[in-house]
Amino acid sequence: MTQMAKALLVDDRRQNLTALEAILQGLPVQSVAVESGEAALKQLLVDDFAVILLDAQMPDMDGFETASHIKRRERTRHVPIIFLTAADRDAQLALRGYQVGAVDYLTKPFDPWVLRAKVSVFVELWVKTRQLATQSDLVRERDTQWRRLTDAVDEATALLRSDDPEVRDRAVRMLEQARWGNTD
């Protein structure tokens, strides 16, 4: 069973988190809401996320500093961050958001349908990436099995060239084992 994608919602105001959870309701994503940058960083230590919705202006550690920490960690550097802010449309703030690794920067009020669409894209990419990783693991496993089988056939072929009947019998046993996937 595949794990459901998660969205990390980070805002110092509980009512904003509640609004974001409502906006994302019905999407194939589990919302995880936290009220500070520090809490977001802790959450990222224990969970994987498809996307992070991050308030730019928070007390203590603001969204920019939080994003900077997220992008420095190997485990989280590729998680897309969408900044959300009530600040006016200051181009410098948006630029600062992009400089710390944001994929988007939305100012309030924003269209909830646009946010849903953006989150949906990142959730779909996360799911596809997981599927590709699973398929890649299966291919590697099959490659390993194929190499073992090929090695066993090569060894048995060499033994079959022997004039000694016991050695040839051993080769036949090896081929029979290989036939049933037991090449150890």
Side-chain angles (χ1 to χ4, degrees):
M1 185 171 127
T2 54
Q3 178 185 6
M4 179 180 255
K6 294 179 183 177
L8 182 59
L9 317 178
V10 188
D11 198 305
D12 60 310
R13 295 184 177 184
R14 185 74 217 145
Q15 65 270 27
N16 290 346
L17 292 171
T18 302
L20 288 173
E21 288 171 328
I23 290 169
L24 300 182
Q25 196 167 21
L27 292 179
V29 64
Q30 177 185 347
S31 296
V32 176
V34 296
E35 296 182 14
S36 71
E38 293 90 349
L41 294 174
K42 287 178 185 174
Q43 194 64 49
L44 286 161
L45 290 173
V46 296
D47 254 331
D48 293 323
F49 291 92
V51 64
I52 300 169
L53 305 182
L54 181 58
D55 182 21
Q57 299 183 334
M58 296 183 290
D60 300 322
M61 183 186 300
D62 68 12
F64 302 108
E65 186 180 350
T66 303
S68 180
H69 285 291
I70 291 168
K71 293 303 179 177
R72 279 197 298 254
R73 291 180 179 171
E74 181 61 35
R75 182 171 184 233
T76 57
R77 89 171 22 130
H78 299 293
V79 180
I81 297 172
I82 299 174
F83 272 109
L84 306 173
T85 185
D88 59 1
R89 298 180 186 274
D90 182 348
Q92 287 303 108
L93 282 180
L95 180 61
R96 187 173 170 208
Y98 291 120
Q99 286 174 334
V100 294
V103 295
D104 210 344
Y105 190 95
L106 301 176
T107 55
K108 300 172 189 173
F110 53 81
D111 184 336
W113 293 104
V114 169
L115 181 60
R116 282 177 63 88
K118 289 175 185 288
V119 168
S120 291
V121 167
F122 290 118
V123 166
E124 187 174 333
L125 286 171
W126 185 87
V127 168
K128 297 292 184 198
T129 300
R130 291 290 174 124
Q131 289 171 345
L132 283 172
T134 299
Q135 289 174 350
S136 179
D137 290 344
L138 287 172
V139 167
R140 270 193 297 280
E141 186 179 311
R142 291 224 171 103
D143 255 4
T144 300
Q145 290 172 344
W146 184 254
R147 267 185 261 117
R148 283 188 196 140
L149 180 60
T150 302
D151 291 346
V153 168
D154 289 346
E155 187 178 345
T157 301
L159 293 174
L160 283 171
R161 292 190 176 104
S162 171
D163 292 331
D164 185 346
E166 287 181 27
V167 172
R168 287 196 305 264
D169 284 346
R170 183 170 154 230
V172 169
R173 284 193 304 277
M174 285 177 69
L175 288 171
E176 287 171 346
Q177 286 178 339
R179 169 95 167 98
W180 300 109
N182 184 4
T183 57
D184 296 328

